[in-house]
Amino acid sequence: MQFNRSTVTTLLMVALVALAGVAGFAGSAAATTHTTTLAGDGTDTVADFNASDDEYLETDISSDGTDFATDGTSTAKMNISLDGTDYAQLETAITDDTTASQTLNLSEGELDDLPGDAGETVTVNVTTWGTDGNGSVTTAESTFAVDITFQNSYAVASVDDSSATIEEADGPGFFSTSTITSLWSSSSDDPADLHTYESTVGIDGSNTTVTVLDETTNGSDAYSESIRDDIESGDVIYGASVGVNGTPVKAFYDEVDTDKIADGDTYAVYDSSNNVWTVHTGDAQDGATEMDVYLSSQSYTSVDSFDSSAVNDLFVGDLDMGVSSLVSNFGFGSLSTFSVLEALGVGMIAPAGGASLAGLALVAGRKRLGA
C-alpha cells in the first residue's frame, strides 16, 4: 500500500489532535480542585474536611462605601477561628479599588491544625475586613459561622502548654541510675524534658488516621533531646514513646519502615520537621468510636503505665531485638523490663540431658546477642 504526501499529512494531523486531547485530559485530571463558596449568612457548611490543599473556601468582602477607593482600603484580610483561637489567616491586596467587592480564596490546607474528631462537626467563625496602607481598619469586620464536618478517616488533636504535662528534668548525679545507664547507651548525656500528652480522640474504627500537633513551647526540644542523634528516616524510635489505649505501639522517624509492620498494625510516625505525630489505626481499633492516644518524650521502658510484658512483646517479640540492641537503644539498666532469655533466643523449657540453661543461653546468645 502506498501513501502520497497528502495522506501522510492528514494522518499526522489526526495523530497530533488525538495526542493533544489525551494531554488535555491528563492535565485537567491532575488539576482537579473543589471550592466551597461561603454565603456568610450563618448557614454555610463544609463537608468531608481533611485539610486538603486542593480544597478551597471562598467568600466575598464588600466595601463599606461606594468602592474600596472610597473606603481607603488597600488590603483585604480574612481569618478563621475556633473558640477564640485563630487557625488560618489570609491577607491579599485589593486588585481593583474601583469595585465594591472582592473574592477571597483560602486553601483548606491552611486549617491543618484545626482540631476535631473523625466525623465531628465543629463550628468556626470566619471574619473578613480591610485595612489601609497604615494598617488601620477601613472596611469594617464581618463575622459569620461555618460548620465544618471532618472526614471519618481524619482526626486532629492539638497539644499546647495547657493540655500537655511538661516538667524540666533534673540533672542526675554521677552515681544515679540514669547516669550509669547512659554509660551503656547511645542516648544523650543531658536528660530530656519530661513531656507527656494523653487524650481521647474520636475515630471511625481502623479507618482513621489521627494527627497530633505539638504546639507547646518546648515540645520540639523535648523530642529532639530524647531521640537519638544518629536516627535516620524510617528508623524505629526508642527514646520517645507512643501508646494507644494503654498499649505501647511502634513509632517511626519521619516515615514508616513497611518491612517492620504487618497488615492491621497500629503504629505512629513522627514528622521531625513539623513536630507532628500521626497515629495510624489498625485491627485493634476495628469498630471503635474513640481511642486514647499517649505521647511521651520518655523511653518506652520509662513509662510506668506501660506493662513490661507489652513492651517486651513489642521490641523482643515483634521487632526481634537481641540483648545488644536492647542495651544500645534502651540502656543496660532497662534489661529488667525485657525477657533476656527470649532476647537470647532461649525457650523457657529446660533442655534435656541435664544440660544447664546457662550453657544453652550462651550458645543461643552467639546467635541473638547482636540482633
Side-chain angles (χ1 to χ4, degrees), residues 98-129:
T98 64
T99 62
S101 178
Q102 180 163 317
T103 299
L104 306 179
N105 199 283
L106 178 75
S107 169
E108 291 183 12
E110 298 295 322
L111 290 166
D112 59 357
D113 58 348
L114 182 70
D117 295 334
E120 180 185 9
T121 298
V122 299
T123 301
V124 302
N125 285 324
V126 177
T127 302
T128 61
W129 72 102

Side-chain angles (χ1 to χ4, degrees), residues 61-80:
I61 179 174
S62 298
S63 65
D64 296 334
T66 305
D67 49 40
F68 289 116
T70 303
D71 284 358
T73 297
S74 58
T75 303
K77 298 185 178 183
M78 177 173 73
N79 78 0
I80 298 179

Side-chain angles (χ1 to χ4, degrees), residues 92 113 196 204 237 301:
T92 185
D113 58 348
T196 57
D204 178 31
I237 294 174
T301 57

